[in-house]
Amino acid sequence: MSPVAFKSLDDLLAEGVSGRGVLVRSDLNVPIDDDGNITDPGRIIASAPTLKALADAGAKVVVTAHLGRPHGGSDPALSLAPVAKALGQLFGADHVQLAGDVVGPDALVRAEGLSEGDILLLENIRFDPRETSKDDAERLALATQLVELVGGPDGSAGAFVSDGFGVVHRKQASVYDVAQLLPHYAGNLVAAEIRVLEQLTSSTEQPYAVVLGGSKVSDKLAVIENLATTADRLVIGGGMCFTFLAAQGVPVGSSLLENGMIDTCRRLLDTYGDVIALPVDIVVAERFAADAEPQTVPANRIPDTRMGLDIGPASVQQFTALLSNARTIFWNGPMGVFEFPAFAAGTKGVAEAIIAATGNGAFSVVGGGDSAAAVRQLGLAENGFSHISTGGGASLEYLEGKTLPGIEVLTG
Ligand code: ADP
Ligand code: MG
């Protein structure tokens, strides 16, 4: 793949942004607990440098972002209010405000009243169903309203900075359509992510190991085919592994299982059997709960009444051996339900193996929101990896060789 050419944030800053309205699409989709506390601010921290550069240069910054998956309307539980508060702590509460709507009257009034260096966060963009509409005209209508917020009276002053790497694989109004209406630039985060993924695909040193886990099984099974052809080793754990185990005819109890993909997994095992490594032992429990009693069993002896919530210690040992001499590693998806301490050892062990390989000179990339959160939550050193990506789905699609609409649109 040839390097992607687009204008950068530095190009925009060189053109001058003082007093200009700049629309930024950020990825601020952070996990929030029932009390409204942000449990992992990683994406906010990662988004801050681009916002800071623009605010420091005197832009009137309008930020659009989503939180969760609201179903076709406003949902107070998915308000960006906690995120606005966190941004206020970073940039000073006087300089950050949250609009009560997406592109409605409140957003308009606030956008018009912005001073240089101020940041206006619009309410959850997915409260507006046009954001994710498959109808081009509907998306364009929303994009046009977004652009009006930074257009100034003559509609010509604004610019768009795409910095939400986690959403660049989506053809959505705030990602794709706005870029067609405004001069567009890649933010620091998007530019850095693309550079790393280019390195991963264009100058891959071998052995190349891919570690896959997590719970979005069907999404990820779709990319395995491509990864299996390029990787020397494909290590599979997490909720992913049970469909493969089932494909081998092994009972998986009440573990996460994608019935419709069993045939696909069987075919993958037939074709890439020498590349794919599955766990040899599993930590099971009766229930999906933090206080459930953990029990380690061989991978082919999962009792009917139990579910697999982590890979076992023998699997960690085996995976560690497979990763020890890798020169390139891509990891997406936790090995178990790391949020429960009793089922976190598999993820921690494999992460430590990747850190060790990185220490020996391997180039390692972690992709995936939950994988990145696991690194921080388990107290592992973030700088133990070469790069921690903020976008799981986007990085997987890039590695699959797909065109990412939100990147492609920046090159035009
Ligand atoms: P990422 O965000 O890194 O791409 P996913 O979103 O696919 O990863 O999956 C992350 C989730 O997978 C975590 O919340 C974790 O608890 C869950 N998970 C991992 N292993 C299992 C398992 N064996 N059963 C159920 N859920 C699992
Ligand atoms: Mg996830």
Side-chain angles (χ1 to χ4, degrees):
M1 229 171 286
S2 58
V4 186
F6 39 66
K7 285 194 176 176
S8 68
L9 181 66
D10 284 343
D11 294 324
L12 174 59
L13 294 173
E15 286 167 29
V17 291
S18 185
R20 279 174 80 181
V22 177
L23 179 70
V24 184
R25 177 54 159 109
S26 297
D27 179 5
L28 303 172
N29 189 23
V30 288
I32 294 179
D33 69 16
D34 293 341
D35 301 322
N37 299 309
I38 295 170
T39 52
D40 178 46
R43 284 177 167 161
I44 297 176
I45 307 290
S47 300
T50 291
L51 300 180
K52 182 171 187 332
L54 288 165
D56 285 352
K60 298 174 179 177
V61 186
V62 177
V63 184
T64 177
H66 74 281
L67 189 67
R69 295 191 169 175
H71 291 288
S74 298
D75 175 354
L78 293 175
S79 166
L80 280 169
V83 174
K85 197 171 147 207
L87 287 173
Q89 281 158 2
L90 285 175
F91 295 104
D94 299 351
H95 296 289
V96 177
Q97 43 182 313
L98 174 70
D101 46 30
V102 179
V103 287
D106 191 53
L108 263 174
V109 168
R110 286 177 187 272
E112 267 164 29
L114 281 180
S115 303
E116 294 180 5
D118 278 357
I119 296 175
L120 169 64
L121 176 62
L122 305 179
E123 194 40 289
N124 191 339
I125 183 78
R126 291 191 188 163
F127 285 177
D128 191 319
R130 294 175 298 175
E131 165 72 354
T132 53
S133 172
K134 297 280 170 254
D135 181 325
D136 291 351
E138 283 186 6
R139 285 199 322 275
L140 184 63
L142 173 58
T144 304
Q145 283 183 284
L146 285 168
V147 166
E148 277 164 13
L149 298 176
V150 294
D154 59 359
S156 64
F160 172 60
V161 174
S162 176
D163 208 34
F165 181 72
V167 288
V168 290
H169 58 314
R170 309 276 188 211
K171 195 172 181 180
Q172 297 177 342
S174 69
V175 179
Y176 177 82
D177 300 85
V178 288
Q180 295 195 308
L181 300 175
L182 284 173
H184 40 258
Y185 306 81
N188 287 340
L189 191 53
V190 161
E193 297 268 13
I194 294 295
R195 265 197 305 276
V196 166
L197 289 172
E198 271 173 358
Q199 184 176 345
L200 206 56
T201 46
S202 63
S203 48
T204 324
E205 270 191 61
Q206 275 152 345
Y208 175 28
V210 173
V211 183
L212 284 183
S215 57
K216 291 180 192 156
V217 184
S218 52
D219 287 6
K220 295 184 186 185
L221 283 175
V223 312
I224 285 193
E225 184 90 56
N226 189 288
L227 291 173
T229 58
T230 47
D232 303 297
R233 275 157 217 158
L234 195 51
V235 173
I236 295 176
M240 295 280 301
C241 70
F242 302 103
T243 309
F244 280 94
L245 291 172
Q248 291 182 325
V250 162
V252 296
S254 51
S255 307
L256 205 62
L257 179 63
E258 203 74 33
N259 268 306
M261 301 293 280
I262 293 179
D263 284 343
T264 310
C265 288
R266 198 173 289 129
R267 194 176 46 76
L268 286 167
L269 285 168
D270 284 346
T271 317
Y272 305 104
D274 50 342
V275 174
I276 295 174
L278 293 171
V280 291
D281 58 349
I282 299 287
V283 183
V284 300
E286 207 169 2
R287 310 169 281 126
F288 187 91
D291 63 352
E293 182 82 31
Q295 182 196 353
T296 302
V297 299
N300 58 359
R301 292 274 182 280
I302 300 176
D304 279 354
T305 56
R306 298 287 189 276
M307 58 179 71
L309 296 182
D310 194 11
I311 61 170
S315 307
V316 171
Q317 229 173 24
Q318 186 208 12
F319 290 177
T320 299
L322 287 173
L323 294 169
S324 64
N325 72 338
R327 299 295 304 162
T328 307
I329 302 173
F330 177 73
W331 171 33
N332 170 269
M335 294 291 101
V337 185
F338 71 91
E339 296 91 337
F340 302 156
F343 306 98
T347 303
K348 190 161 190 205
V350 167
E352 281 167 347
I354 299 172
I355 291 173
T358 312
N360 290 330
F363 179 67
S364 63
V365 177
V366 182
D370 292 290
S371 310
V375 167
R376 287 185 282 267
Q377 218 164 299
L378 298 174
L380 299 161
E382 287 182 68
N383 61 9
F385 304 89
S386 309
H387 179 75
I388 298 184
S389 171
T390 48
S395 37
L396 280 174
E397 288 200 12
Y398 184 97
L399 294 184
E400 237 186 303
K402 280 195 187 159
T403 304
L404 309 184
I407 297 296
E408 167 124 275
V409 75
L410 297 179
T411 64

Short mmCIF file of all heavy atoms in Angstrom, two decimals, residues 327-380:
data_model
loop_
_atom_site.label_atom_id
_atom_site.label_comp_id
_atom_site.label_asym_id
_atom_site.label_seq_id
_atom_site.Cartn_x
_atom_site.Cartn_y
_atom_site.Cartn_z
N ARG A 327 8.95 -10.55 15.46
CA ARG A 327 9.55 -9.23 15.17
C ARG A 327 8.47 -8.17 15.00
O ARG A 327 8.73 -6.98 15.08
CB ARG A 327 10.40 -9.32 13.88
CG ARG A 327 11.55 -10.30 13.95
CD ARG A 327 12.60 -9.90 14.96
NE ARG A 327 13.12 -8.56 14.70
CZ ARG A 327 13.79 -7.81 15.58
NH1 ARG A 327 13.99 -8.28 16.81
NH2 ARG A 327 14.23 -6.62 15.26
N THR A 328 7.27 -8.63 14.68
CA THR A 328 6.13 -7.72 14.53
C THR A 328 4.94 -8.37 15.21
O THR A 328 4.69 -9.57 15.03
CB THR A 328 5.80 -7.50 13.04
OG1 THR A 328 6.99 -7.08 12.35
CG2 THR A 328 4.72 -6.46 12.85
N ILE A 329 4.21 -7.59 16.04
CA ILE A 329 3.03 -8.14 16.73
C ILE A 329 1.88 -7.16 16.63
O ILE A 329 2.03 -5.97 16.91
CB ILE A 329 3.33 -8.42 18.22
CG1 ILE A 329 4.50 -9.40 18.38
CG2 ILE A 329 2.09 -8.96 18.92
CD1 ILE A 329 4.96 -9.59 19.83
N PHE A 330 0.73 -7.66 16.24
CA PHE A 330 -0.50 -6.87 16.31
C PHE A 330 -1.45 -7.58 17.26
O PHE A 330 -1.73 -8.76 17.09
CB PHE A 330 -1.14 -6.73 14.92
CG PHE A 330 -2.46 -5.98 14.96
CD1 PHE A 330 -2.49 -4.61 15.17
CD2 PHE A 330 -3.66 -6.66 14.81
CE1 PHE A 330 -3.71 -3.93 15.24
CE2 PHE A 330 -4.87 -5.99 14.85
CZ PHE A 330 -4.89 -4.62 15.07
N TRP A 331 -1.93 -6.86 18.27
CA TRP A 331 -2.82 -7.46 19.26
C TRP A 331 -4.14 -6.73 19.28
O TRP A 331 -4.18 -5.52 19.47
CB TRP A 331 -2.18 -7.42 20.66
CG TRP A 331 -3.12 -7.83 21.76
CD1 TRP A 331 -4.12 -8.75 21.69
CD2 TRP A 331 -3.16 -7.30 23.10
NE1 TRP A 331 -4.78 -8.84 22.90
CE2 TRP A 331 -4.21 -7.97 23.77
CE3 TRP A 331 -2.42 -6.35 23.79
CZ2 TRP A 331 -4.53 -7.69 25.11
CZ3 TRP A 331 -2.73 -6.08 25.11
CH2 TRP A 331 -3.77 -6.75 25.76
N ASN A 332 -5.23 -7.46 19.07
CA ASN A 332 -6.57 -6.88 19.20
C ASN A 332 -7.46 -7.83 19.98
O ASN A 332 -7.71 -8.95 19.55
CB ASN A 332 -7.17 -6.61 17.83
CG ASN A 332 -8.65 -6.24 17.94
OD1 ASN A 332 -9.50 -7.11 17.88
ND2 ASN A 332 -8.93 -4.98 18.13
N GLY A 333 -7.96 -7.35 21.11
CA GLY A 333 -8.97 -8.09 21.87
C GLY A 333 -8.40 -8.80 23.08
O GLY A 333 -7.47 -9.60 22.96
N PRO A 334 -8.98 -8.51 24.27
CA PRO A 334 -8.52 -9.15 25.51
C PRO A 334 -8.69 -10.68 25.47
O PRO A 334 -9.57 -11.19 24.79
CB PRO A 334 -9.44 -8.55 26.58
CG PRO A 334 -10.05 -7.33 25.97
CD PRO A 334 -10.05 -7.54 24.49
N MET A 335 -7.83 -11.37 26.19
CA MET A 335 -7.86 -12.84 26.23
C MET A 335 -8.98 -13.39 27.11
O MET A 335 -9.28 -14.59 27.08
CB MET A 335 -6.51 -13.38 26.74
CG MET A 335 -5.34 -13.11 25.82
SD MET A 335 -5.44 -14.06 24.28
CE MET A 335 -6.03 -12.81 23.16
N GLY A 336 -9.53 -12.51 27.95
CA GLY A 336 -10.60 -12.94 28.85
C GLY A 336 -11.34 -11.73 29.37
O GLY A 336 -11.11 -10.60 28.92
N VAL A 337 -12.25 -11.97 30.30
CA VAL A 337 -13.03 -10.88 30.87
C VAL A 337 -12.16 -10.18 31.92
O VAL A 337 -12.31 -10.38 33.12
CB VAL A 337 -14.36 -11.41 31.47
CG1 VAL A 337 -15.23 -10.25 31.95
CG2 VAL A 337 -15.11 -12.22 30.42
N PHE A 338 -11.21 -9.38 31.41
CA PHE A 338 -10.19 -8.78 32.28
C PHE A 338 -10.78 -7.81 33.29
O PHE A 338 -10.14 -7.47 34.28
CB PHE A 338 -9.15 -8.04 31.41
CG PHE A 338 -9.69 -6.78 30.80
CD1 PHE A 338 -9.55 -5.56 31.47
CD2 PHE A 338 -10.37 -6.80 29.59
CE1 PHE A 338 -10.08 -4.39 30.93
CE2 PHE A 338 -10.90 -5.63 29.05
CZ PHE A 338 -10.76 -4.43 29.72
N GLU A 339 -12.03 -7.36 33.03
CA GLU A 339 -12.68 -6.43 33.96
C GLU A 339 -12.91 -7.10 35.32
O GLU A 339 -13.01 -6.42 36.34
CB GLU A 339 -14.04 -5.96 33.40
CG GLU A 339 -13.93 -5.14 32.11
CD GLU A 339 -14.02 -5.99 30.84
OE1 GLU A 339 -13.72 -7.21 30.89
OE2 GLU A 339 -14.36 -5.43 29.78
N PHE A 340 -13.01 -8.44 35.34
CA PHE A 340 -13.15 -9.19 36.59
C PHE A 340 -11.76 -9.71 36.97
O PHE A 340 -11.18 -10.52 36.23
CB PHE A 340 -14.09 -10.39 36.41
CG PHE A 340 -15.49 -10.05 35.94
CD1 PHE A 340 -16.25 -11.02 35.28
CD2 PHE A 340 -16.05 -8.80 36.15
CE1 PHE A 340 -17.53 -10.74 34.84
CE2 PHE A 340 -17.34 -8.50 35.70
CZ PHE A 340 -18.08 -9.48 35.05
N PRO A 341 -11.22 -9.29 38.13
CA PRO A 341 -9.85 -9.68 38.48
C PRO A 341 -9.59 -11.19 38.41
O PRO A 341 -8.51 -11.61 38.01
CB PRO A 341 -9.70 -9.16 39.92
CG PRO A 341 -10.63 -7.99 39.99
CD PRO A 341 -11.79 -8.34 39.10
N ALA A 342 -10.58 -12.00 38.71
CA ALA A 342 -10.37 -13.45 38.70
C ALA A 342 -10.17 -13.99 37.28
O ALA A 342 -9.73 -15.13 37.11
CB ALA A 342 -11.55 -14.16 39.37
N PHE A 343 -10.51 -13.17 36.28
CA PHE A 343 -10.40 -13.64 34.89
C PHE A 343 -9.51 -12.72 34.05
O PHE A 343 -9.68 -12.59 32.84
CB PHE A 343 -11.81 -13.76 34.29
CG PHE A 343 -12.73 -14.62 35.13
CD1 PHE A 343 -13.62 -14.04 36.02
CD2 PHE A 343 -12.63 -16.01 35.07
CE1 PHE A 343 -14.44 -14.83 36.83
CE2 PHE A 343 -13.44 -16.81 35.86
CZ PHE A 343 -14.34 -16.22 36.75
N ALA A 344 -8.56 -12.08 34.72
CA ALA A 344 -7.68 -11.11 34.04
C ALA A 344 -6.29 -11.65 33.74
O ALA A 344 -5.54 -11.05 32.97
CB ALA A 344 -7.56 -9.84 34.89
N ALA A 345 -5.94 -12.81 34.32
CA ALA A 345 -4.56 -13.29 34.23
C ALA A 345 -4.14 -13.60 32.79
O ALA A 345 -2.99 -13.36 32.41
CB ALA A 345 -4.37 -14.51 35.12
N GLY A 346 -5.07 -14.11 31.98
CA GLY A 346 -4.72 -14.45 30.60
C GLY A 346 -4.34 -13.21 29.81
O GLY A 346 -3.32 -13.19 29.10
N THR A 347 -5.14 -12.18 29.94
CA THR A 347 -4.87 -10.93 29.22
C THR A 347 -3.56 -10.33 29.70
O THR A 347 -2.72 -9.89 28.91
CB THR A 347 -6.03 -9.92 29.45
OG1 THR A 347 -7.24 -10.54 29.02
CG2 THR A 347 -5.80 -8.63 28.68
N LYS A 348 -3.38 -10.35 31.03
CA LYS A 348 -2.17 -9.77 31.59
C LYS A 348 -0.94 -10.54 31.11
O LYS A 348 0.06 -9.95 30.69
CB LYS A 348 -2.25 -9.77 33.12
CG LYS A 348 -1.14 -8.98 33.75
CD LYS A 348 -1.44 -8.59 35.19
CE LYS A 348 -0.40 -7.59 35.67
NZ LYS A 348 -0.21 -7.58 37.10
N GLY A 349 -1.03 -11.87 31.15
CA GLY A 349 0.10 -12.71 30.75
C GLY A 349 0.50 -12.49 29.30
O GLY A 349 1.68 -12.35 28.97
N VAL A 350 -0.49 -12.45 28.42
CA VAL A 350 -0.19 -12.27 27.00
C VAL A 350 0.34 -10.85 26.75
O VAL A 350 1.29 -10.65 25.98
CB VAL A 350 -1.44 -12.58 26.14
CG1 VAL A 350 -1.26 -12.10 24.71
CG2 VAL A 350 -1.71 -14.08 26.16
N ALA A 351 -0.24 -9.87 27.45
CA ALA A 351 0.26 -8.50 27.31
C ALA A 351 1.72 -8.44 27.75
O ALA A 351 2.55 -7.78 27.10
CB ALA A 351 -0.60 -7.54 28.12
N GLU A 352 2.05 -9.12 28.84
CA GLU A 352 3.43 -9.12 29.32
C GLU A 352 4.36 -9.78 28.31
O GLU A 352 5.51 -9.35 28.13
CB GLU A 352 3.52 -9.79 30.69
CG GLU A 352 3.07 -8.83 31.79
CD GLU A 352 2.81 -9.49 33.15
OE1 GLU A 352 2.73 -10.74 33.20
OE2 GLU A 352 2.67 -8.75 34.14
N ALA A 353 3.86 -10.83 27.64
CA ALA A 353 4.68 -11.49 26.62
C ALA A 353 4.95 -10.54 25.46
O ALA A 353 6.05 -10.51 24.89
CB ALA A 353 3.95 -12.75 26.12
N ILE A 354 3.95 -9.72 25.11
CA ILE A 354 4.13 -8.76 24.01
C ILE A 354 5.12 -7.67 24.43
O ILE A 354 5.99 -7.26 23.65
CB ILE A 354 2.78 -8.17 23.57
CG1 ILE A 354 1.85 -9.28 23.06
CG2 ILE A 354 2.98 -7.10 22.48
CD1 ILE A 354 0.43 -8.85 22.77
N ILE A 355 5.00 -7.24 25.68
CA ILE A 355 5.93 -6.22 26.19
C ILE A 355 7.36 -6.77 26.17
O ILE A 355 8.30 -6.06 25.77
CB ILE A 355 5.51 -5.78 27.61
CG1 ILE A 355 4.20 -4.97 27.55
CG2 ILE A 355 6.62 -4.94 28.27
CD1 ILE A 355 3.60 -4.62 28.90
N ALA A 356 7.51 -8.04 26.57
CA ALA A 356 8.86 -8.65 26.57
C ALA A 356 9.42 -8.69 25.15
O ALA A 356 10.59 -8.35 24.92
CB ALA A 356 8.79 -10.04 27.18
N ALA A 357 8.58 -9.10 24.20
CA ALA A 357 9.04 -9.17 22.80
C ALA A 357 9.42 -7.78 22.30
O ALA A 357 10.40 -7.61 21.56
CB ALA A 357 7.96 -9.80 21.92
N THR A 358 8.64 -6.78 22.72
CA THR A 358 8.93 -5.40 22.31
C THR A 358 10.28 -4.97 22.87
O THR A 358 11.08 -4.31 22.18
CB THR A 358 7.81 -4.45 22.80
OG1 THR A 358 6.54 -5.00 22.45
CG2 THR A 358 7.96 -3.07 22.17
N GLY A 359 10.53 -5.39 24.11
CA GLY A 359 11.83 -5.09 24.74
C GLY A 359 12.98 -5.70 23.96
O GLY A 359 14.10 -5.18 23.95
N ASN A 360 12.69 -6.82 23.28
CA ASN A 360 13.71 -7.48 22.46
C ASN A 360 13.74 -6.95 21.03
O ASN A 360 14.36 -7.57 20.16
CB ASN A 360 13.47 -8.99 22.43
CG ASN A 360 13.78 -9.62 23.78
OD1 ASN A 360 14.63 -9.13 24.52
ND2 ASN A 360 13.07 -10.71 24.10
N GLY A 361 13.03 -5.87 20.80
CA GLY A 361 13.14 -5.22 19.49
C GLY A 361 11.97 -5.42 18.55
O GLY A 361 11.99 -4.94 17.42
N ALA A 362 10.93 -6.13 18.99
CA ALA A 362 9.77 -6.30 18.11
C ALA A 362 9.00 -4.99 18.00
O ALA A 362 9.01 -4.17 18.92
CB ALA A 362 8.85 -7.40 18.64
N PHE A 363 8.33 -4.80 16.86
CA PHE A 363 7.44 -3.66 16.66
C PHE A 363 6.03 -4.13 17.02
O PHE A 363 5.52 -5.06 16.39
CB PHE A 363 7.51 -3.19 15.20
CG PHE A 363 6.60 -2.03 14.88
CD1 PHE A 363 6.82 -0.78 15.45
CD2 PHE A 363 5.53 -2.19 14.02
CE1 PHE A 363 5.99 0.29 15.16
CE2 PHE A 363 4.68 -1.13 13.72
CZ PHE A 363 4.93 0.12 14.29
N SER A 364 5.43 -3.54 18.06
CA SER A 364 4.14 -4.05 18.55
C SER A 364 3.07 -2.98 18.53
O SER A 364 3.30 -1.84 18.91
CB SER A 364 4.30 -4.59 19.97
OG SER A 364 4.67 -3.55 20.85
N VAL A 365 1.89 -3.37 18.08
CA VAL A 365 0.77 -2.45 18.02
C VAL A 365 -0.42 -3.08 18.73
O VAL A 365 -0.77 -4.24 18.47
CB VAL A 365 0.38 -2.14 16.55
CG1 VAL A 365 -0.84 -1.24 16.50
CG2 VAL A 365 1.55 -1.50 15.82
N VAL A 366 -1.03 -2.32 19.64
CA VAL A 366 -2.26 -2.75 20.30
C VAL A 366 -3.41 -1.97 19.67
O VAL A 366 -3.37 -0.74 19.63
CB VAL A 366 -2.22 -2.44 21.82
CG1 VAL A 366 -3.49 -2.94 22.49
CG2 VAL A 366 -0.98 -3.04 22.46
N GLY A 367 -4.39 -2.65 19.14
CA GLY A 367 -5.55 -1.98 18.56
C GLY A 367 -6.81 -2.43 19.26
O GLY A 367 -6.95 -3.62 19.56
N GLY A 368 -7.72 -1.52 19.53
CA GLY A 368 -8.97 -1.92 20.16
C GLY A 368 -9.18 -1.19 21.47
O GLY A 368 -8.29 -1.16 22.32
N GLY A 369 -10.35 -0.60 21.62
CA GLY A 369 -10.65 0.21 22.79
C GLY A 369 -10.49 -0.58 24.08
O GLY A 369 -9.87 -0.10 25.04
N ASP A 370 -11.03 -1.79 24.11
CA ASP A 370 -10.98 -2.56 25.34
C ASP A 370 -9.59 -3.12 25.60
O ASP A 370 -9.17 -3.23 26.75
CB ASP A 370 -12.00 -3.70 25.30
CG ASP A 370 -13.42 -3.16 25.33
OD1 ASP A 370 -13.82 -2.64 26.37
OD2 ASP A 370 -14.10 -3.23 24.29
N SER A 371 -8.87 -3.44 24.53
CA SER A 371 -7.50 -3.92 24.71
C SER A 371 -6.64 -2.81 25.30
O SER A 371 -5.86 -3.04 26.24
CB SER A 371 -6.91 -4.36 23.37
OG SER A 371 -7.79 -5.23 22.71
N ALA A 372 -6.80 -1.60 24.78
CA ALA A 372 -6.05 -0.46 25.30
C ALA A 372 -6.44 -0.18 26.75
O ALA A 372 -5.58 0.09 27.60
CB ALA A 372 -6.29 0.77 24.44
N ALA A 373 -7.73 -0.29 27.04
CA ALA A 373 -8.20 -0.08 28.42
C ALA A 373 -7.61 -1.14 29.34
O ALA A 373 -7.22 -0.86 30.48
CB ALA A 373 -9.72 -0.12 28.47
N ALA A 374 -7.51 -2.38 28.82
CA ALA A 374 -6.96 -3.47 29.63
C ALA A 374 -5.51 -3.17 30.03
O ALA A 374 -5.12 -3.38 31.18
CB ALA A 374 -7.05 -4.80 28.87
N VAL A 375 -4.75 -2.66 29.08
CA VAL A 375 -3.34 -2.34 29.36
C VAL A 375 -3.26 -1.39 30.55
O VAL A 375 -2.49 -1.61 31.49
CB VAL A 375 -2.68 -1.71 28.11
CG1 VAL A 375 -1.33 -1.09 28.47
CG2 VAL A 375 -2.52 -2.76 27.02
N ARG A 376 -4.08 -0.36 30.51
CA ARG A 376 -4.03 0.63 31.60
C ARG A 376 -4.60 0.05 32.90
O ARG A 376 -4.01 0.20 33.96
CB ARG A 376 -4.82 1.87 31.19
CG ARG A 376 -4.10 2.69 30.14
CD ARG A 376 -4.84 3.97 29.83
NE ARG A 376 -5.97 3.72 28.96
CZ ARG A 376 -5.92 3.81 27.64
NH1 ARG A 376 -4.79 4.14 27.05
NH2 ARG A 376 -6.97 3.57 26.91
N GLN A 377 -5.73 -0.64 32.78
CA GLN A 377 -6.39 -1.16 33.98
C GLN A 377 -5.56 -2.20 34.71
O GLN A 377 -5.62 -2.31 35.93
CB GLN A 377 -7.73 -1.77 33.57
CG GLN A 377 -8.84 -1.52 34.56
CD GLN A 377 -10.18 -1.80 33.90
OE1 GLN A 377 -10.56 -1.16 32.92
NE2 GLN A 377 -10.89 -2.79 34.39
N LEU A 378 -4.80 -2.97 33.95
CA LEU A 378 -3.98 -4.02 34.58
C LEU A 378 -2.64 -3.48 35.05
O LEU A 378 -1.78 -4.24 35.50
CB LEU A 378 -3.79 -5.19 33.60
CG LEU A 378 -5.10 -5.89 33.17
CD1 LEU A 378 -4.85 -6.92 32.09
CD2 LEU A 378 -5.78 -6.53 34.37
N GLY A 379 -2.47 -2.18 34.94
CA GLY A 379 -1.26 -1.56 35.48
C GLY A 379 -0.01 -1.84 34.65
O GLY A 379 1.11 -1.78 35.17
N LEU A 380 -0.20 -2.13 33.36
CA LEU A 380 0.96 -2.40 32.50
C LEU A 380 1.49 -1.09 31.93
O LEU A 380 0.75 -0.12 31.81
CB LEU A 380 0.54 -3.34 31.36
CG LEU A 380 0.04 -4.69 31.86
CD1 LEU A 380 -0.77 -5.39 30.77
CD2 LEU A 380 1.21 -5.56 32.29
#
